[in-house]
Amino acid sequence: MSDNAARSRPDSGEDTNIIETLQSLTVAFALAMTVRAFVTEGFVIPTGSMAPTLLGAHLRYQSPATGYSYAFDAAPVVDLARRTVDGQMRDFPRPLFDPMVSTQTPIEGRSNLQLATQARMGDRVLVLKFLYPFFAPGRWDVVVFKNPTDPTGDTQNYIKRLVGLPDEQLLTVDGDVFTAPLDGGLADFRVARKPEYVQRTVWQPVWDSDYAPTDVKRLAEVMRRPWEGAPLAGEGWDTSGRALTVGVATPSELKWNNAILPITDWNAYNVHRGNPLVYPVSDIRVAAAIEADDPTALATELELTARGHLFTFAIANGELTLSLRHFEATEPSKVATFPIGIPAAGRPCELEFWHVDESMQVWLNGSRVGSLEYDWPIEDRIRYTYLGRTVEQYASDPIDTVGPPPQLSWRFRGSPLSLHRVRVDRDLHYRPTELHPGDQADTNGEYVTGLGFGSDVMRPGRLEAGQFLMMGDNSAASRDGRVWGRPHPLVTRTYGLEAPFVVPTPLLLGKAWCVYFPAPLPFNGTGKAIIPDFGELRFIR
């Protein structure tokens, strides 16, 4: 009897363990579903509308000339690879560019079919879903939401940057966002400035001296023309390597050559999209680590010519001076001075000069040491940027209205010096848009015509209570809310939304928090991209 009882205990234990396991799995499943529904959820980035901040399906190219690596849109490559002629797949050479050398001349070509097999999926991101019931969405948040023009199904989860807020008017002019109260006039619009943590995320590279060509002769052979040299150069300067050096204390100057690398909204991600139109960008950052033989004697002055003005960043004798002056004026219209520390000899200092969102800023070793803001009415911004055009003239054709490119010069005196990791970056640049039937759903009623939301300065976009405007960081290739047209009838019936282009509060799913599974790397020997690129794990700003 006791033997039977002893033998029965393990059986009861096994039954109990099975029941406990099933209970644990049920609780875990319920918790996971609760977390997914109310706390956080993963989403995959399908397209490049937020590139390079977030990557959709893409390919990655590393230049053999400089070592520079960048991602570009996989869709044109894959779509072409799927085409057949007379039932046969045909291959085509695909030109590849090095943006640190030229955005016009390719440095090599590769098989389109071969590239198509190397396409990677987009980044996977985590989205915080509990924030917006308790905290109001903020301008510049990266948000996942349901597309109001077609809100059904998981494929209609979009991710973009929240740019327009409720109860305001909005315009985009010369790449910047301007807002005004709903009852305000054109004179009430002012620029919407990005906070530092967002601005540092959205700077996009134009040139970096760390990516100087390693074999100039070979580069000239593949480009079939001589390499023109670094875009930032000057008499007496050695600009052939990663550091830019000058060996004299007498005045010297570096000038930017727009013929080599123009400062525009060109985006390497779109290199194969076939969109040749680019817009000059005057919101830029110039940064370098300066190593001077005699830091106390060094004086430097960076000048940016843009928007009909001369913007000057000057450092001398322990003082930083920021100023802006109109070309026709003899004196600056605004000046600000600040004390600035001088590093000891042998200690490079990292300087950043920002001109962005109608502000001038200088950063020393990561800390802001001075800033000067200017707030121009829309009429002045248009007149200064577009060579004297009036608001009415600009409004007649904002798509094809292009101002002159910015000019850069950087002067030094007082000490021989070296500049390390010299970088020129440009800001997000929101292009003017126009409406096309192809961007609007047939089921949603009559097509909206004319210019996109916020592009018509004579009719600014309006955001009423509970309405938001979403725009992509890749403005040249982003299906922004500015062109969507009317909402789906289901959204109109459910939420009473009839206004085109905007997203109502109930369709906001949450704020994108981090890239938890970056586009994977290929597994050695198989070519299959299955290993997460852990170096690209990051928070989303």
Side-chain angles (χ1 to χ4, degrees), residues 20-33:
E20 289 177 350
T21 299
L22 291 174
Q23 290 175 336
S24 299
L25 289 174
T26 301
V27 171
F29 179 78
L31 288 173
M33 290 300 98

mmCIF file with all atom_site columns, all heavy atoms in Angstrom, residues 20-33:
data_model
loop_
_atom_site.group_PDB
_atom_site.id
_atom_site.type_symbol
_atom_site.label_atom_id
_atom_site.label_alt_id
_atom_site.label_comp_id
_atom_site.label_asym_id
_atom_site.label_entity_id
_atom_site.label_seq_id
_atom_site.pdbx_PDB_ins_code
_atom_site.Cartn_x
_atom_site.Cartn_y
_atom_site.Cartn_z
_atom_site.occupancy
_atom_site.B_iso_or_equiv
_atom_site.pdbx_formal_charge
_atom_site.auth_seq_id
_atom_site.auth_comp_id
_atom_site.auth_asym_id
_atom_site.auth_atom_id
_atom_site.pdbx_PDB_model_num
ATOM 1   N N   . GLU A 1 20 ? 0.480  23.754 -13.902 1.00 0.00 ? 20 GLU A N   1
ATOM 2   C CA  . GLU A 1 20 ? 1.155  25.003 -13.548 1.00 0.00 ? 20 GLU A CA  1
ATOM 3   C C   . GLU A 1 20 ? 1.825  25.628 -14.766 1.00 0.00 ? 20 GLU A C   1
ATOM 4   O O   . GLU A 1 20 ? 1.820  26.841 -14.933 1.00 0.00 ? 20 GLU A O   1
ATOM 5   C CB  . GLU A 1 20 ? 2.185  24.731 -12.451 1.00 0.00 ? 20 GLU A CB  1
ATOM 6   C CG  . GLU A 1 20 ? 1.569  24.406 -11.093 1.00 0.00 ? 20 GLU A CG  1
ATOM 7   C CD  . GLU A 1 20 ? 2.623  24.083 -10.057 1.00 0.00 ? 20 GLU A CD  1
ATOM 8   O OE1 . GLU A 1 20 ? 3.807  23.932 -10.453 1.00 0.00 ? 20 GLU A OE1 1
ATOM 9   O OE2 . GLU A 1 20 ? 2.270  24.001 -8.867  1.00 0.00 ? 20 GLU A OE2 1
ATOM 10  N N   . THR A 1 21 ? 2.392  24.781 -15.619 1.00 0.00 ? 21 THR A N   1
ATOM 11  C CA  . THR A 1 21 ? 3.034  25.296 -16.829 1.00 0.00 ? 21 THR A CA  1
ATOM 12  C C   . THR A 1 21 ? 2.014  25.959 -17.739 1.00 0.00 ? 21 THR A C   1
ATOM 13  O O   . THR A 1 21 ? 2.240  27.050 -18.272 1.00 0.00 ? 21 THR A O   1
ATOM 14  C CB  . THR A 1 21 ? 3.751  24.165 -17.581 1.00 0.00 ? 21 THR A CB  1
ATOM 15  O OG1 . THR A 1 21 ? 4.755  23.610 -16.726 1.00 0.00 ? 21 THR A OG1 1
ATOM 16  C CG2 . THR A 1 21 ? 4.400  24.678 -18.855 1.00 0.00 ? 21 THR A CG2 1
ATOM 17  N N   . LEU A 1 22 ? 0.867  25.279 -17.923 1.00 0.00 ? 22 LEU A N   1
ATOM 18  C CA  . LEU A 1 22 ? -0.184 25.863 -18.759 1.00 0.00 ? 22 LEU A CA  1
ATOM 19  C C   . LEU A 1 22 ? -0.692 27.175 -18.171 1.00 0.00 ? 22 LEU A C   1
ATOM 20  O O   . LEU A 1 22 ? -0.950 28.150 -18.903 1.00 0.00 ? 22 LEU A O   1
ATOM 21  C CB  . LEU A 1 22 ? -1.334 24.872 -18.923 1.00 0.00 ? 22 LEU A CB  1
ATOM 22  C CG  . LEU A 1 22 ? -1.033 23.627 -19.769 1.00 0.00 ? 22 LEU A CG  1
ATOM 23  C CD1 . LEU A 1 22 ? -2.213 22.660 -19.734 1.00 0.00 ? 22 LEU A CD1 1
ATOM 24  C CD2 . LEU A 1 22 ? -0.727 24.035 -21.214 1.00 0.00 ? 22 LEU A CD2 1
ATOM 25  N N   . GLN A 1 23 ? -0.824 27.203 -16.835 1.00 0.00 ? 23 GLN A N   1
ATOM 26  C CA  . GLN A 1 23 ? -1.259 28.440 -16.190 1.00 0.00 ? 23 GLN A CA  1
ATOM 27  C C   . GLN A 1 23 ? -0.239 29.557 -16.390 1.00 0.00 ? 23 GLN A C   1
ATOM 28  O O   . GLN A 1 23 ? -0.597 30.708 -16.676 1.00 0.00 ? 23 GLN A O   1
ATOM 29  C CB  . GLN A 1 23 ? -1.489 28.189 -14.696 1.00 0.00 ? 23 GLN A CB  1
ATOM 30  C CG  . GLN A 1 23 ? -2.699 27.334 -14.375 1.00 0.00 ? 23 GLN A CG  1
ATOM 31  C CD  . GLN A 1 23 ? -2.806 27.011 -12.898 1.00 0.00 ? 23 GLN A CD  1
ATOM 32  O OE1 . GLN A 1 23 ? -1.795 27.031 -12.174 1.00 0.00 ? 23 GLN A OE1 1
ATOM 33  N NE2 . GLN A 1 23 ? -4.016 26.703 -12.443 1.00 0.00 ? 23 GLN A NE2 1
ATOM 34  N N   . SER A 1 24 ? 1.054  29.205 -16.251 1.00 0.00 ? 24 SER A N   1
ATOM 35  C CA  . SER A 1 24 ? 2.114  30.205 -16.435 1.00 0.00 ? 24 SER A CA  1
ATOM 36  C C   . SER A 1 24 ? 2.120  30.736 -17.863 1.00 0.00 ? 24 SER A C   1
ATOM 37  O O   . SER A 1 24 ? 2.278  31.942 -18.095 1.00 0.00 ? 24 SER A O   1
ATOM 38  C CB  . SER A 1 24 ? 3.479  29.604 -16.079 1.00 0.00 ? 24 SER A CB  1
ATOM 39  O OG  . SER A 1 24 ? 3.513  29.199 -14.734 1.00 0.00 ? 24 SER A OG  1
ATOM 40  N N   . LEU A 1 25 ? 1.973  29.814 -18.819 1.00 0.00 ? 25 LEU A N   1
ATOM 41  C CA  . LEU A 1 25 ? 1.960  30.232 -20.225 1.00 0.00 ? 25 LEU A CA  1
ATOM 42  C C   . LEU A 1 25 ? 0.758  31.129 -20.502 1.00 0.00 ? 25 LEU A C   1
ATOM 43  O O   . LEU A 1 25 ? 0.857  32.106 -21.253 1.00 0.00 ? 25 LEU A O   1
ATOM 44  C CB  . LEU A 1 25 ? 1.936  29.008 -21.135 1.00 0.00 ? 25 LEU A CB  1
ATOM 45  C CG  . LEU A 1 25 ? 3.239  28.190 -21.197 1.00 0.00 ? 25 LEU A CG  1
ATOM 46  C CD1 . LEU A 1 25 ? 3.037  26.933 -22.019 1.00 0.00 ? 25 LEU A CD1 1
ATOM 47  C CD2 . LEU A 1 25 ? 4.364  29.042 -21.810 1.00 0.00 ? 25 LEU A CD2 1
ATOM 48  N N   . THR A 1 26 ? -0.374 30.790 -19.899 1.00 0.00 ? 26 THR A N   1
ATOM 49  C CA  . THR A 1 26 ? -1.579 31.601 -20.104 1.00 0.00 ? 26 THR A CA  1
ATOM 50  C C   . THR A 1 26 ? -1.390 33.005 -19.540 1.00 0.00 ? 26 THR A C   1
ATOM 51  O O   . THR A 1 26 ? -1.741 34.007 -20.169 1.00 0.00 ? 26 THR A O   1
ATOM 52  C CB  . THR A 1 26 ? -2.794 30.931 -19.437 1.00 0.00 ? 26 THR A CB  1
ATOM 53  O OG1 . THR A 1 26 ? -2.979 29.631 -19.994 1.00 0.00 ? 26 THR A OG1 1
ATOM 54  C CG2 . THR A 1 26 ? -4.056 31.764 -19.648 1.00 0.00 ? 26 THR A CG2 1
ATOM 55  N N   . VAL A 1 27 ? -0.815 33.060 -18.316 1.00 0.00 ? 27 VAL A N   1
ATOM 56  C CA  . VAL A 1 27 ? -0.556 34.374 -17.707 1.00 0.00 ? 27 VAL A CA  1
ATOM 57  C C   . VAL A 1 27 ? 0.444  35.162 -18.534 1.00 0.00 ? 27 VAL A C   1
ATOM 58  O O   . VAL A 1 27 ? 0.268  36.365 -18.786 1.00 0.00 ? 27 VAL A O   1
ATOM 59  C CB  . VAL A 1 27 ? -0.048 34.204 -16.260 1.00 0.00 ? 27 VAL A CB  1
ATOM 60  C CG1 . VAL A 1 27 ? 0.425  35.538 -15.695 1.00 0.00 ? 27 VAL A CG1 1
ATOM 61  C CG2 . VAL A 1 27 ? -1.144 33.622 -15.383 1.00 0.00 ? 27 VAL A CG2 1
ATOM 62  N N   . ALA A 1 28 ? 1.528  34.470 -18.987 1.00 0.00 ? 28 ALA A N   1
ATOM 63  C CA  . ALA A 1 28 ? 2.536  35.154 -19.797 1.00 0.00 ? 28 ALA A CA  1
ATOM 64  C C   . ALA A 1 28 ? 1.941  35.670 -21.091 1.00 0.00 ? 28 ALA A C   1
ATOM 65  O O   . ALA A 1 28 ? 2.230  36.783 -21.534 1.00 0.00 ? 28 ALA A O   1
ATOM 66  C CB  . ALA A 1 28 ? 3.700  34.207 -20.085 1.00 0.00 ? 28 ALA A CB  1
ATOM 67  N N   . PHE A 1 29 ? 1.085  34.838 -21.706 1.00 0.00 ? 29 PHE A N   1
ATOM 68  C CA  . PHE A 1 29 ? 0.437  35.262 -22.959 1.00 0.00 ? 29 PHE A CA  1
ATOM 69  C C   . PHE A 1 29 ? -0.463 36.476 -22.718 1.00 0.00 ? 29 PHE A C   1
ATOM 70  O O   . PHE A 1 29 ? -0.466 37.432 -23.500 1.00 0.00 ? 29 PHE A O   1
ATOM 71  C CB  . PHE A 1 29 ? -0.367 34.100 -23.537 1.00 0.00 ? 29 PHE A CB  1
ATOM 72  C CG  . PHE A 1 29 ? -1.079 34.432 -24.814 1.00 0.00 ? 29 PHE A CG  1
ATOM 73  C CD1 . PHE A 1 29 ? -0.398 34.472 -26.025 1.00 0.00 ? 29 PHE A CD1 1
ATOM 74  C CD2 . PHE A 1 29 ? -2.438 34.725 -24.807 1.00 0.00 ? 29 PHE A CD2 1
ATOM 75  C CE1 . PHE A 1 29 ? -1.044 34.795 -27.207 1.00 0.00 ? 29 PHE A CE1 1
ATOM 76  C CE2 . PHE A 1 29 ? -3.103 35.046 -25.985 1.00 0.00 ? 29 PHE A CE2 1
ATOM 77  C CZ  . PHE A 1 29 ? -2.398 35.078 -27.193 1.00 0.00 ? 29 PHE A CZ  1
ATOM 78  N N   . ALA A 1 30 ? -1.223 36.419 -21.617 1.00 0.00 ? 30 ALA A N   1
ATOM 79  C CA  . ALA A 1 30 ? -2.114 37.543 -21.301 1.00 0.00 ? 30 ALA A CA  1
ATOM 80  C C   . ALA A 1 30 ? -1.321 38.815 -21.046 1.00 0.00 ? 30 ALA A C   1
ATOM 81  O O   . ALA A 1 30 ? -1.699 39.901 -21.512 1.00 0.00 ? 30 ALA A O   1
ATOM 82  C CB  . ALA A 1 30 ? -2.978 37.198 -20.086 1.00 0.00 ? 30 ALA A CB  1
ATOM 83  N N   . LEU A 1 31 ? -0.196 38.662 -20.308 1.00 0.00 ? 31 LEU A N   1
ATOM 84  C CA  . LEU A 1 31 ? 0.644  39.836 -20.052 1.00 0.00 ? 31 LEU A CA  1
ATOM 85  C C   . LEU A 1 31 ? 1.241  40.374 -21.351 1.00 0.00 ? 31 LEU A C   1
ATOM 86  O O   . LEU A 1 31 ? 1.297  41.587 -21.567 1.00 0.00 ? 31 LEU A O   1
ATOM 87  C CB  . LEU A 1 31 ? 1.763  39.475 -19.067 1.00 0.00 ? 31 LEU A CB  1
ATOM 88  C CG  . LEU A 1 31 ? 1.341  39.254 -17.611 1.00 0.00 ? 31 LEU A CG  1
ATOM 89  C CD1 . LEU A 1 31 ? 2.528  38.746 -16.795 1.00 0.00 ? 31 LEU A CD1 1
ATOM 90  C CD2 . LEU A 1 31 ? 0.796  40.549 -17.006 1.00 0.00 ? 31 LEU A CD2 1
ATOM 91  N N   . ALA A 1 32 ? 1.700  39.453 -22.208 1.00 0.00 ? 32 ALA A N   1
ATOM 92  C CA  . ALA A 1 32 ? 2.287  39.889 -23.478 1.00 0.00 ? 32 ALA A CA  1
ATOM 93  C C   . ALA A 1 32 ? 1.265  40.634 -24.317 1.00 0.00 ? 32 ALA A C   1
ATOM 94  O O   . ALA A 1 32 ? 1.561  41.657 -24.937 1.00 0.00 ? 32 ALA A O   1
ATOM 95  C CB  . ALA A 1 32 ? 2.837  38.677 -24.239 1.00 0.00 ? 32 ALA A CB  1
ATOM 96  N N   . MET A 1 33 ? 0.032  40.113 -24.352 1.00 0.00 ? 33 MET A N   1
ATOM 97  C CA  . MET A 1 33 ? -1.011 40.779 -25.135 1.00 0.00 ? 33 MET A CA  1
ATOM 98  C C   . MET A 1 33 ? -1.380 42.134 -24.508 1.00 0.00 ? 33 MET A C   1
ATOM 99  O O   . MET A 1 33 ? -1.683 43.093 -25.221 1.00 0.00 ? 33 MET A O   1
ATOM 100 C CB  . MET A 1 33 ? -2.252 39.888 -25.227 1.00 0.00 ? 33 MET A CB  1
ATOM 101 C CG  . MET A 1 33 ? -2.065 38.642 -26.091 1.00 0.00 ? 33 MET A CG  1
ATOM 102 S SD  . MET A 1 33 ? -1.630 39.016 -27.820 1.00 0.00 ? 33 MET A SD  1
ATOM 103 C CE  . MET A 1 33 ? 0.150  38.819 -27.780 1.00 0.00 ? 33 MET A CE  1
#
